């Protein structure tokens, strides 16, 4: 019987995959290292964008230097020096003195006026963007390549109880890196599995702070999504950030606008869509079929990306461009797949795994793990009694029940200031709190 049961690791535990990640050289794990540019041509974006970015950074500083702007723009000193000389020639800045071999300078009145004009059109003053072609090449080069077996999956997901049947279905799906459909009854561990798949990646990627398309700036790096690794990589273009592979989960809040570029009219920049932020990682659509966007609209939007690994985006004035769609998309649902999508779309999700309810052995194992992690005392009659109650209440053994019931039991013990020992009466009380009582509802009505 296939089982996937969520348990919570004790505080301070580190998943096996994270331990493996920490033990390796990050440099050795990088599949692609964008080289540092040596001149304006290798920066790869229009000269006027570098010039405007230079002025916007200066506008934020009363006095600055070439080295300070070089760090802020993530560009080599010689590239920033060339812009400095151009601005000095145009009398946009005034040199105040020297600090060693570096210049200290400030904007002139004319420079401040021009910088203010540039900032009114686009206020972005972060690291210089990378060209679209560099992002395209990097994303392709960093496509995930997993070589997993049963033991490595069990090791990475060691806070779940997984049957060999489920693991042996996950393995080929993960190696193929094609989209994955997890379906089955509620509470049986679909989301728990999906949210832990990123642990199987023990390598690192590089993500640009921003990229340039047709003279526009698209902000991509998101510290909420991208877990940065504080490492020094010799020769790396500083416009890129070394990160772990991302894992993004969306649920009912997903709307169609999140899948397209979003223009910030005030800042004059674009925010990357959510699937672009998930590139080279995992993108989970939880409770698929219950989003604000209809399943049909979402599936129609992604028929080409799922099939060809290419997505198409558009700037607000109509310019369209192509980006890689290099991510593992995981659909998790308790609805019937055939009711959510037609055969044409389901064909583009080649891996469909049914996560069924538990057998007694796995149900008892999840109870044992969770009860012990909560420091609850129990005897062998308790899990058997909980199984009986669970079947009576919902007709099956659900993976979520032991965890949820143990949480209620722990709260009862704290509330009553007594020893955390589970009695039959305590268990009945917790189950009554957890499961709705249909007879009681009819009585109230």
């Amino acid at each position: 019987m296939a089982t996937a049961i969520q348990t919570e690791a004790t505080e301070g535990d580190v998943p096996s995959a994270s331990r493996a990640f920490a033990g390796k050289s990050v440099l050795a794990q990088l599949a692609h290292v964008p080289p540092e540019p040596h001149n304006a041509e290798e920066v790869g974006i229009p000269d006027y964008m570098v010039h405007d970015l230079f002025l916007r950074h200066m506008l934020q500083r009363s006095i600055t230097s070439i080295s300070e702007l070089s760090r802020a723009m993530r560009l080599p000193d010689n590239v920033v020096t060339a812009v400095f000389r151009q601005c000095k020639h145009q009398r946009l800045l005034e040199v105040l003195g020297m600090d060693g071999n570096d210049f200290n300078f400030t904007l002139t009145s004319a420079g401040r006026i021009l910088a203010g004009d540039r900032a009114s059109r686009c206020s972005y003053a972060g690291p210089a963007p990378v060209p679209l072609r560099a992002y395209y090449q990097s994303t392709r080069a960093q496509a995930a390549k997993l070589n997993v077996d049963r033991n490595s999956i069990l090791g990475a997901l060691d806070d779940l109880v997984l049957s060999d049947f489920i693991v042996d279905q996950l393995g080929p799906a993960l190696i193929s890196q094609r989209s994955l459909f997890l379906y089955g009854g509620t509470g049986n561990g679909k989301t728990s599995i999906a949210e832990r798949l990123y642990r199987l990646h023990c390598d690192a990627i590089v993500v640009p702070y921003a990229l340039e398309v047709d003279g526009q700036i698209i902000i991509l790096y998101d510290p909420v999504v991208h877990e940065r690794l504080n490492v020094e990589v010799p020769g790396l273009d500083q416009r890129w950030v070394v990160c772990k592979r991302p894992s993004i989960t969306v649920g009912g809040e997903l709307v169609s606008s999140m899948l397209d570029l979003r223009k910030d009219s005030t800042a004059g920049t674009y925010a990357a869509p959510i699937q672009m932020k998930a590139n080279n990682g995992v993108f989970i659509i939880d409770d698929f079929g219950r989003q604000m966007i209809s399943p049909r609209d979402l599936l129609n939007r992604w028929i080409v990306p799922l099939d060809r690994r290419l997505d198409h985006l558009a700037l607000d004035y109509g310019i369209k461009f192509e980006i890689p769609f290099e991510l593992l998309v995981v659909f998790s649902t308790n609805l019937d797949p055939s009711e959510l999508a037609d055969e044409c779309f389901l064909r583009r999700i080649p891996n469909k795994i049914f996560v069924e309810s538990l057998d007694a052995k796995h149900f008892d194992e999840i109870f044992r793990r969770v009860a012990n992690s909560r420091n609850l005392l129990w005897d062998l009659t308790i899990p058997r009694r909980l199984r009986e109650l669970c079947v009576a209440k919902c007709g099956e053994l659900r993976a979520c029940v032991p965890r949820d019931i143990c949480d209620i039991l722990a709260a009862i013990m704290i509330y009553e200031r007594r020893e955390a020992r589970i009695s039959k009466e305590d268990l009945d009380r917790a189950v009554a709190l957890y499961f709705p009582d249909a007879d009681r509802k009819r009585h109230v009505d």
Side-chain angles (χ1 to χ4, degrees), residues 8 42 75 118 128 187 190 216 245 305 319-320 328-329 344 348 353 380 392 418 435 442:
E8 295 185 8
E42 292 181 2
L75 293 175
R118 295 294 186 264
K190 300 178 297 297
Q216 303 297 312
R245 292 184 183 270
I319 294 293
K320 294 184 178 181
L328 174 63
V329 181
C344 177
R348 290 169 168 82
I353 299 177
L380 295 178
R418 59 185 174 88
F435 288 101
R442 285 195 295 270

Side-chain angles (χ1 to χ4, degrees), residues 153-440:
I153 294 177
L154 289 172
L157 279 61
D158 57 3
D159 60 338
L160 299 183
V161 176
L162 297 170
S163 73
D164 288 345
F165 181 78
I166 283 288
V167 171
D168 291 342
Q169 288 186 302
L170 281 174
L174 294 171
I175 289 173
S176 74
Q177 283 295 294
R178 300 292 300 278
S179 51
L180 174 62
F181 212 119
L182 298 175
Y183 67 104
T186 185
N188 284 339
K190 300 178 297 297
T191 302
S192 298
I193 295 172
E195 290 182 340
R196 287 159 172 77
L197 294 181
Y198 78 95
R199 294 180 181 176
L200 289 157
H201 296 288
C202 296
D203 57 352
I205 62 170
V206 290
V207 177
Y209 286 98
L211 59 149
E212 176 268 330
V213 178
D214 197 46
Q216 303 297 312
I217 294 175
I218 300 172
I219 299 174
L220 177 58
Y221 171 69
D222 183 346
V224 175
V225 169
H226 300 111
E227 185 178 347
R228 182 172 187 164
L229 298 172
N230 293 318
V231 294
E232 293 290 335
V233 179
L236 174 66
D237 185 339
Q238 295 303 299
R239 294 175 293 172
W240 299 76
V241 188
V242 180
C243 303
K244 293 184 180 180
R245 292 184 183 270
S247 179
I248 298 177
T249 302
V250 295
E253 76 278 8
L254 181 64
V255 293
S256 58
S257 61
M258 295 169 66
L259 305 177
D260 296 312
L261 291 171
R262 286 171 290 164
K263 177 71 176 288
D264 185 333
S265 57
T266 302
T269 57
Y270 290 85
I274 195 163
Q275 75 274 15
M276 190 175 177
K277 293 181 180 181
N279 252 335
N280 296 135
V282 182
F283 186 58
I284 303 162
I285 303 179
D286 198 20
D287 285 330
F288 178 58
R290 304 184 189 278
Q291 282 70 37
M292 297 290 288
I293 180 175
S294 72
R296 179 178 295 275
D297 289 345
L298 175 61
L299 300 180
N300 286 338
R301 169 70 176 81
W302 275 1
I303 278 184
V304 171
L306 287 173
D307 195 32
R308 302 183 183 177
R309 294 188 178 273
L310 286 173
D311 197 7
H312 293 87
L313 301 176
L315 301 172
D316 66 342
Y317 51 89
I319 294 293
K320 294 184 178 181
F321 60 96
E322 193 174 83
I323 63 167
F325 193 82
E326 287 290 353
L327 55 151
L328 174 63
V329 181
V330 183
F331 299 89
S332 173
T333 184
N334 58 12
L335 303 176
D336 186 343
S338 63
E339 296 177 359
L340 295 171
D342 57 26
E343 183 179 352
C344 177
F345 188 84
L346 289 177
R347 180 175 62 81
R348 290 169 168 82
I349 308 177
N351 303 296
K352 305 170 188 70
I353 299 177
F354 178 63
V355 183
E356 59 185 343
S357 55
L358 311 183
D359 59 16
K361 173 186 174 182
H362 291 95
F363 188 90
D364 288 357
E365 173 62 14
I366 185 67
F367 175 84
R368 182 191 67 79
R369 289 193 185 191
V370 178
N372 291 347
S373 72
R374 283 12 175 221
N375 295 318
L376 295 171
L377 304 175
W378 51 281
D379 61 51
L380 295 178
T381 65
I382 296 301
R384 182 173 67 249
R385 173 62 177 168
L386 180 56
R387 273 190 273 118
E388 294 170 352
L389 292 170
C390 185
V391 171
K393 293 292 184 179
C394 62
E396 61 181 356
L397 298 178
R398 294 178 179 172
C400 62
V401 171
R403 179 199 60 201
D404 295 343
I405 293 297
C406 284
D407 285 343
I408 294 174
L409 287 165
I412 289 173
M413 306 305 176
I414 294 172
Y415 174 71
E416 297 187 348
R417 303 290 193 272
R418 59 185 174 88
E419 182 186 30
R421 181 177 296 277
I422 305 172
S423 67
K424 176 180 175 299
E425 291 73 24
D426 291 327
L427 189 62
D428 291 348
R429 178 180 172 185
V431 168
L433 278 169
Y434 184 67
F435 288 101
D437 191 321
D439 293 334
R440 185 177 303 166

